């Protein structure tokens, strides 16, 4: 269950950002097959945003969900519309939900979240954006509301005085980093806020695919991730299954969102659900990662950084 909501989200959620071609071109027919296969296999939680492919992912997901939308828990976001295009004003938030509902071909979303709040001022997020989300919730266009972002401190700061149902954090709990557990998890637990963990593959680093040019991880983290993938392969373990299997072990997280765009990935990633982590391999991977474990990068407006350790910056 996601916090105190009645959203019984699946342990593995479908991250739909790849449908916006953010990791490279995807085939819409194949991604529709992937979405429908995921639903048929028990994945019921889908996350998207107008930002992904500048509305492309929402349009494609809306098409893929025709006829099955009511069977799933659907989440979208507002406030971020491009790499450096943000608008967290109340008027934009209210327009944003209507635009998203049109693209998603539905009349409500289950979860509506302010996207990457570290790019807004904390005053505006707390005083204007979250109250606007609460109004959207009251209108029935969104059943529950939340926030997303990268620096953990800002996620906490924004929700200390304003109630949200869920927080989505990304790249803070996977084979390369576990600092989600230091601060945010105890806070969310105490506040009974649902926690969603995104990017168990560290936005693609824990795969064999080429790293996208926009990826913010420093060189040391990329190199450790590459060694993790190589060692998994040498031991005949699929690195994605190993990484996802590790991430879904986090006990408070309600759902772990992995970005997918084809049936093969859906099939592979579902194997993580009953995958037994080999403790010896895990220890070896942890030894590779140790020098760069918990390294983060800066994200957002300068006053909202909470960079703990980033030796290469
Ligand atoms: P991820 O760690 O899930 O990695 C996705 C990448 O891994 C994609 O390139 C995908 O094609 C590839 N992949 C997936 N399964 C694979 C497999 N079995 N084998 C090989 N490659 C595989 O990163 P993500 O997509 O950024 O995160 C998941 C989702 O979480 C997103 O799609 C989005 O919905 C959400 N998210 C939200 C925020 C935010 O709100 N700020 C940030 C990051 C992610």
């Amino acid at each position: 269950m996601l916090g105190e909501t009645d959203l019984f989200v699946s342990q593995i959620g479908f991250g739909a950002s790849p449908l916006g071609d953010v990791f490279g071109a995807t085939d819409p027919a194949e991604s529709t097959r992937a979405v429908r296969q995921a639903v048929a296999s028990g994945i019921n939680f889908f996350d998207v945003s107008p930002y992904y492919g500048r509305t492309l992912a929402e349009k494609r997901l809306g098409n893929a969900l025709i006829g099955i939308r009511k069977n799933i828990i659907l989440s979208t976001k507002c406030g971020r519309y491009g790499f450096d295009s943000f608008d967290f004003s109340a008027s934009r938030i209210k327009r944003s939900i209507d635009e998203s509902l049109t693209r998603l071909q539905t009349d409500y979303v289950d979860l509506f979240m302010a996207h990457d709040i570290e790019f807004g001022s904390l005053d505006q997020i707390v005083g204007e954006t979250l109250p606007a989300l609460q109004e959207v919730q009251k209108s029935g266009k969104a059943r529950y509301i939340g926030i997303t972002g990268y620096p953990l401190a800002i996620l906490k700061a924004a929700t200390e005085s304003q109630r949200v149902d869920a927080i989505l954090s990304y790249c803070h709990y996977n084979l390369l980093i576990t600092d989600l557990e230091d601060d945010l998890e105890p806070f969310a637990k105490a506040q009974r806020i649902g926690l969603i963990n995104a990017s168990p593959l560290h936005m693609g680093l824990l795969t064999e695919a080429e790293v996208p040019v926009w990826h913010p991880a420093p060189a040391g983290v990329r190199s450790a991730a590459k060694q993790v993938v190589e060692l998994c392969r040498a031991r005949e373990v699929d690195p994605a299954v190993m990484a996802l299997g590790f991430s879904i072990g986090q006990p408070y997280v309600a759902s772990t969102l992995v970005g997918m765009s084809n049936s093969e990935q859906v099939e592979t990633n579902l194997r993580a659900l009953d995958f037994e982590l080999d403790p010896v391999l895990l220890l070896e991977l942890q030894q590779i990662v140790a020098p760069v474990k918990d390294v983060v990068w800066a994200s957002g407006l300068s006053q909202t950084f909470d960079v703990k350790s980033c030796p290469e910056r």
Side-chain angles (χ1 to χ4, degrees):
M1 201 71 82
L2 183 64
E4 292 203 310
T5 71
D6 62 356
L7 301 177
F8 197 59
V9 286
S10 48
Q11 199 175 9
I12 293 178
F14 193 115
S17 68
L19 272 55
D21 292 350
V22 302
F23 291 96
T26 57
D27 170 13
E30 180 51 36
S31 54
T32 294
R33 269 195 293 281
V35 166
R36 299 184 83 90
Q37 183 188 335
V39 177
S41 316
I43 292 179
N44 72 356
F45 183 38
F46 287 74
D47 177 71
V48 70
S49 165
Y51 169 47
Y52 303 146
R54 293 175 185 257
T55 74
L56 182 63
E58 279 193 335
K59 287 179 196 146
R60 285 182 170 169
L61 183 61
N63 285 334
L65 289 174
I66 289 174
I68 54 170
R69 187 269 169 268
K70 290 272 153 61
N71 307 351
I72 64 125
I73 294 167
L74 182 57
S75 152
T76 195
K77 315 194 187 82
C78 56
R80 182 165 202 176
Y81 302 98
F83 183 73
D84 49 12
S85 168
F86 299 88
D87 188 344
F88 291 101
S89 67
S91 59
R92 187 68 189 94
I93 300 310
K94 287 177 198 163
R95 230 178 43 245
S96 203
I97 183 68
D98 290 332
E99 293 167 358
S100 288
L101 292 179
T102 302
R103 286 189 289 266
L104 290 165
Q105 306 184 46
T106 183
D107 49 10
Y108 72 97
V109 290
D110 298 279
L111 185 58
F112 191 46
M113 296 186 280
H115 195 168
D116 291 344
I117 59 161
E118 69 269 25
F119 289 92
S121 83
L122 190 54
D123 284 351
Q124 186 184 32
I125 298 294
V126 172
E128 184 176 349
T129 314
L130 291 179
L133 285 176
Q134 287 156 5
E135 278 186 46
V136 171
Q137 185 176 20
K138 277 194 203 110
S139 76
K141 292 175 186 173
R143 296 194 58 222
Y144 296 102
I145 58 168
I147 54 169
T148 86
Y150 182 66
L152 299 178
I154 189 79
L155 294 173
K156 271 174 49 178
T159 49
E160 255 152 12
S161 62
Q162 284 282 4
R163 169 81 206 162
V164 296
D165 303 297
I167 296 178
L168 183 159
S169 154
Y170 70 98
C171 289
H172 278 288
Y173 192 87
N174 61 46
L175 283 174
L176 299 168
I177 186 163
T178 57
D179 66 351
L180 179 84
E181 291 183 328
D182 299 342
D183 254 1
L184 188 62
E185 186 205 350
F187 171 81
K189 237 187 216 169
Q191 305 280 328
R192 298 171 175 203
I193 299 173
L195 206 49
I196 299 160
N197 177 36
S199 311
L201 309 179
H202 222 57
M203 299 195 294
L205 284 199
L206 293 168
T207 73
E208 276 134 341
E210 215 174 290
V211 180
V213 285
W214 50 259
H215 205 296
V221 173
R222 291 167 187 233
S223 154
K226 194 162 182 278
Q227 291 172 60
V228 164
V229 171
E230 283 166 2
L231 184 58
C232 286
R233 280 295 178 211
R235 298 291 155 76
E236 298 181 344
V237 169
D238 189 305
V241 178
M242 181 75 196
L244 188 53
F246 173 81
S247 286
I248 63 175
Q250 212 299 328
Y252 186 70
V253 165
S255 186
T256 298
L257 286 168
V258 57
M260 300 185 266
S261 59
N262 62 58
S263 319
E264 196 185 329
Q265 289 175 343
V266 174
E267 206 177 304
T268 303
N269 293 341
L270 280 165
R271 281 177 23 218
L273 287 174
D274 44 29
F275 176 72
E276 279 189 31
L277 292 184
D278 170 357
V280 177
L281 176 58
L282 182 59
L283 194 63
E284 286 178 280
L285 298 179
Q286 284 167 337
Q287 280 161 356
I288 291 173
V289 170
V292 290
K293 171 109 189 316
D294 290 348
V295 163
V296 293
W297 52 82
S299 174
L301 306 180
S302 55
Q303 74 267 27
T304 64
F305 291 169
D306 68 347
V307 178
K308 261 199 323 210
S309 55
C310 196
E312 291 158 34
R313 285 185 343 110

